[in-house]
Amino acid sequence: MARLKLATVWLGGCSGCHMSFLDLDEWLIDLAAQVDLVFSPFVDTKEYPQGVDVVLVEGAIANEEHLQMIHTVRERSQILVSFGDCAVTGNVTALRNPLGSAEPVLQHCYIEAVDIHGQIPHEPGIVPTLLNRVIPVHTIVKVDVYLPGCPPSATQIKAVLAPLLRGEKPHLEGREFIKFG
């Protein structure tokens, strides 16, 4: 049997979902025997590969780089898991949305909240262009599995990955598996 290609992606979020992934502890050894981790903040891969079987996408879409990345991820992945509350709903990352467009956020962070020499960075590559609203993953691309939680527990993550490894669709029900926060 061919090994599955697993990827994880970190968009606009705190990396808590990835830290929870590491809480799989000994099960990570079993997982490593069944998958090749082909893209992740845990590995030094610069370009998202073709032919990914399963991807866990952490975080909301907050800037132009995220928008481009989520399209690439969806195009090159068979099963996309919206991984954590930020990916599922926008959650904490979307707290800037009531401020309106991105401009007031940049103004506050780079001009009003600094002590000296406040300026908004304009050099390409320093700060990715912010979207006017932070949006959850499913508003841009098709999501196959939703895994809520802030962050989802290792038990929840395993409840999604274990069936996927067997070629089955995860069946999450009950407070333990579908709660937010």
Side-chain angles (χ1 to χ4, degrees), residues 2 18-19 32 51 65 82 88 94 98-99 118 131-132 136 159 171 173:
H18 276 85
M19 295 301 101
E65 286 180 10
S82 196
V88 174
L99 297 175
L131 300 178
N132 282 329
H171 185 70
E173 64 179 38

Side-chain angles (χ1 to χ4, degrees), residues 106-130:
L106 293 169
Q107 187 72 26
H108 178 73
C109 292
Y110 288 103
I111 305 294
E112 298 164 10
V114 300
D115 293 331
I116 57 171
H117 308 299
Q119 64 178 343
I120 297 173
H122 293 289
E123 290 292 321
I126 294 177
V127 176
T129 303
L130 294 179

Side-chain angles (χ1 to χ4, degrees), residues 67-140:
L67 192 57
Q68 181 181 3
M69 180 61 145
I70 199 61
H71 284 292
T72 300
V73 166
R74 179 70 273 185
E75 177 184 300
R76 298 178 182 180
S77 305
Q78 186 177 359
I79 298 171
L80 190 150
V81 178
S82 196
F83 183 33
D85 287 352
C86 289
V88 174
T89 67
N91 201 31
V92 174
T93 312
L95 287 175
R96 73 171 167 92
N97 287 349
L99 297 175
S101 70
E103 190 58 37
V105 175
L106 293 169
Q107 187 72 26
H108 178 73
C109 292
Y110 288 103
I111 305 294
E112 298 164 10
V114 300
D115 293 331
I116 57 171
H117 308 299
Q119 64 178 343
I120 297 173
H122 293 289
E123 290 292 321
I126 294 177
V127 176
T129 303
L130 294 179
L131 300 178
N132 282 329
R133 297 190 54 77
V134 175
I135 48 182
V137 172
H138 71 273
T139 62
I140 301 298

Side-chain angles (χ1 to χ4, degrees), residues 4-178:
L4 265 70
K5 292 181 181 177
L6 175 67
T8 71
V9 173
W10 179 17
L11 302 176
C14 70
S15 82
C17 296
H18 276 85
M19 295 301 101
S20 209
F21 180 87
L22 293 176
D23 287 341
L24 288 166
D25 298 329
E26 291 86 7
W27 195 73
L28 287 172
I29 296 167
D30 297 334
L31 182 63
Q34 300 175 64
V35 303
D36 290 322
L37 187 60
V38 295
F39 187 89
S40 177
F42 302 135
V43 297
D44 188 26
T45 305
K46 305 299 184 222
E47 185 175 333
Y48 194 82
Q50 297 282 348
V52 172
D53 296 302
V54 177
V55 59
L56 305 175
V57 177
E58 173 183 354
I61 300 163
N63 63 47
E64 293 289 340
E65 286 180 10
H66 298 156
L67 192 57
Q68 181 181 3
M69 180 61 145
I70 199 61
H71 284 292
T72 300
V73 166
R74 179 70 273 185
E75 177 184 300
R76 298 178 182 180
S77 305
Q78 186 177 359
I79 298 171
L80 190 150
V81 178
S82 196
F83 183 33
D85 287 352
C86 289
V88 174
T89 67
N91 201 31
V92 174
T93 312
L95 287 175
R96 73 171 167 92
N97 287 349
L99 297 175
S101 70
E103 190 58 37
V105 175
L106 293 169
Q107 187 72 26
H108 178 73
C109 292
Y110 288 103
I111 305 294
E112 298 164 10
V114 300
D115 293 331
I116 57 171
H117 308 299
Q119 64 178 343
I120 297 173
H122 293 289
E123 290 292 321
I126 294 177
V127 176
T129 303
L130 294 179
L131 300 178
N132 282 329
R133 297 190 54 77
V134 175
I135 48 182
V137 172
H138 71 273
T139 62
I140 301 298
V141 297
K142 178 183 177 277
V143 168
D144 301 298
V145 179
Y146 292 88
L147 178 55
C150 185
S153 68
T155 302
Q156 290 170 293
I157 297 166
K158 185 177 178 182
V160 166
L161 289 177
L164 290 173
L165 293 172
R166 295 188 304 266
E168 301 169 4
K169 183 168 173 104
H171 185 70
L172 302 176
E173 64 179 38
R175 178 169 167 64
E176 178 185 358
F177 293 105
I178 60 172

